[in-house]
Amino acid sequence: MARLHHNETPAAPAAASGVPGARASLATVRAAALRCRACPLWATATQTVFGEGPEHAHDMLIGEQPGDNEDLQGHPFVGPAGKLLDRALAEAGIDRSTLYLTNTVKHFKYRLRGKRRLHARANAAEQAACRIWLDAELARVRPRRIVCLGSMAAQALFGRSFRLLRERGRWRELPGGARAFATVHPSYLLRLRDPAERERAYALFVTELASLAEPA
Ligand code: URA
């Protein structure tokens, strides 16, 4: 497929998103998401990074958007933030392979500095356009528990008025019966410069994740 240069404008999104009907399997949805043109991010990304994990996982983790490594490899949480998440999950006694891991936005967004691709946050329109895929994943996986990593995921699930610092770690009941809470994104932990603060924040993150070690 032809790739555009980063600052070229892609053609108007073709026939919107193409989300398969409610009876389509997760595999069918995933295949359709690979062709998504619902927002312009497809044009500069390498590929759609769809969620991964058991089709009926009890627990789902929702991140923000793929980074450089995820974009190149096509899998969620395989870069530095993913490595930190893996470590925290292991310390919390949780086997990553039992979780369904996904992102709020399924394409990498970046700006170029020289040859480097620097992460850029997906805007509200891009987040809204991608919502169809998260909804399709939620409807098929039907997790009992959800953890939102960072405010983008938390606001997608709980609404724009959600404030992470005020409400992190607090379980909420969702329509349909699943329970969910939000915590910080592992990239936030990677950005903390002060070692003592980073240690404290990481320990709290592990404690919050550990609530998934209990049976769902
Ligand atoms: N950050 C995210 O939110 N998701 C990824 O998959 C990687 C980094």
Side-chain angles (χ1 to χ4, degrees):
M1 177 183 307
R3 294 268 147 223
L4 295 180
H5 225 269
H6 186 253
N7 43 16
E8 274 181 277
T9 309
S17 60
V19 183
R23 296 172 64 159
S25 69
L26 189 60
T28 303
V29 173
R30 177 192 308 274
L34 302 185
R35 301 185 296 269
C36 183
R37 303 285 184 270
C39 85
L41 294 184
W42 70 272
T44 50
T46 307
Q47 57 196 314
T48 302
V49 180
F50 202 69
E52 288 182 354
E55 179 153 4
H56 298 296
H58 288 169
D59 297 317
M60 179 185 281
L61 262 57
I62 308 175
E64 301 203 322
Q65 56 192 84
D68 188 58
N69 290 280
E70 288 79 15
D71 174 69
L72 295 173
Q73 295 180 44
H75 304 289
F77 285 105
V78 292
K83 302 249 178 316
L84 185 66
L85 177 63
D86 285 350
R87 202 181 112 205
L89 287 171
E91 285 181 30
I94 297 156
D95 178 356
R96 171 173 166 152
S97 71
T98 64
L99 306 174
Y100 188 88
L101 258 86
T102 192
N103 283 301
T104 311
V105 170
K106 311 284 197 257
H107 279 117
F108 180 41
K109 180 175 182 179
Y110 60 94
R111 59 193 166 81
L112 286 173
R113 183 184 293 159
K115 288 194 172 148
R116 288 186 61 208
R117 305 193 304 170
L118 301 181
H119 168 92
R121 186 180 171 85
N123 63 33
E126 291 152 353
Q127 291 176 41
C130 214
R131 179 61 199 241
I132 46 176
W133 301 114
L134 180 59
D135 283 344
E137 289 174 299
L138 287 166
R140 282 157 186 85
V141 179
R142 300 175 63 84
R144 295 185 195 161
R145 299 183 298 201
I146 301 168
V147 178
C148 299
L149 302 172
S151 59
M152 185 190 291
Q155 291 190 347
L157 216 61
F158 303 136
R160 304 294 292 178
S161 62
F162 183 87
R163 291 292 167 268
L164 188 59
L165 288 183
R166 222 173 36 215
E167 298 184 68
R168 69 176 283 184
R170 241 187 267 161
W171 285 105
R172 290 174 169 224
E173 187 123 351
L174 297 173
R179 293 185 306 131
F181 75 83
T183 180
V184 295
H185 192 281
S187 309
Y188 160 81
L189 300 171
L190 290 172
R191 285 195 303 271
L192 291 175
R193 287 280 147 252
D194 178 55
E197 191 188 348
R198 193 170 56 230
E199 205 42 52
R200 251 195 326 270
Y202 175 75
L204 177 56
F205 183 61
V206 172
T207 304
E208 287 168 334
L209 291 177
S211 55
L212 297 184
E214 326 248 312

